[in-house]
Amino acid sequence: MDQHKLRSHVFDKTGIKIDVDDPIFALVALNEAVLAETVERQLALLDAATQALAAQARAAGGLPALPAPAMHQPAPQAPAPSPSPAGPAGFTPREWRLLGAAAIVSVACALLVLGGAALLYKL
């Protein structure tokens, strides 16, 4: 995350100057961490589902058998657990709490920015 690039982008879009030490960057880092973890988990689930589907297709005769590997390939990892009925996107309760906290922080930051802008326009 390039804070100077983000700072310039915010200024270009809104005309609001923010400092690189602004707490808003903590929110950006939190969002990046939550997104990275969720993407990794979803990719693992997608990979496991793809392998299971390929195995079913091979068993049904729809795909040829796997050729003998010419080079050593690492053993496939154990399939990831199936998504829990925690929500429509399969988020865990921890992810829901993190998303809720991020939403609260983003709303608080937006209100703070709007309040500061209102004070500046009054002066």
Side-chain angles (χ1 to χ4, degrees):
M1 171 181 63
D2 183 11
Q3 291 180 342
H4 293 289
K5 184 177 177 183
L6 287 172
R7 181 177 172 255
S8 298
H9 180 71
V10 169
F11 181 74
D12 291 342
K13 291 289 183 180
T14 65
I16 298 172
K17 293 181 182 179
I18 56 175
D19 189 34
V20 291
D21 296 328
D22 196 294
I24 194 76
F25 286 112
L27 177 63
V28 172
L30 174 67
N31 284 337
E32 283 181 347
V34 170
L35 180 63
E37 183 180 327
T38 303
V39 166
E40 286 177 16
R41 190 175 54 80
Q42 293 298 326
L43 285 175
L45 288 171
L46 182 62
D47 186 46
T50 303
Q51 290 177 3
L53 184 61
Q56 289 176 358
R58 280 188 197 88
L63 287 178
L66 289 173
M71 297 186 334
H72 175 70
Q73 294 179 352
Q77 297 177 351
S82 62
S84 63
F91 292 133
T92 63
R94 178 178 178 268
E95 290 171 334
W96 281 115
R97 285 192 303 270
L98 286 172
L99 287 171
I104 290 170
V105 170
S106 65
V107 167
C109 288
L111 291 175
L112 181 66
V113 168
L114 290 174
L119 285 175
L120 289 174
Y121 284 124
K122 282 186 179 180
L123 298 175

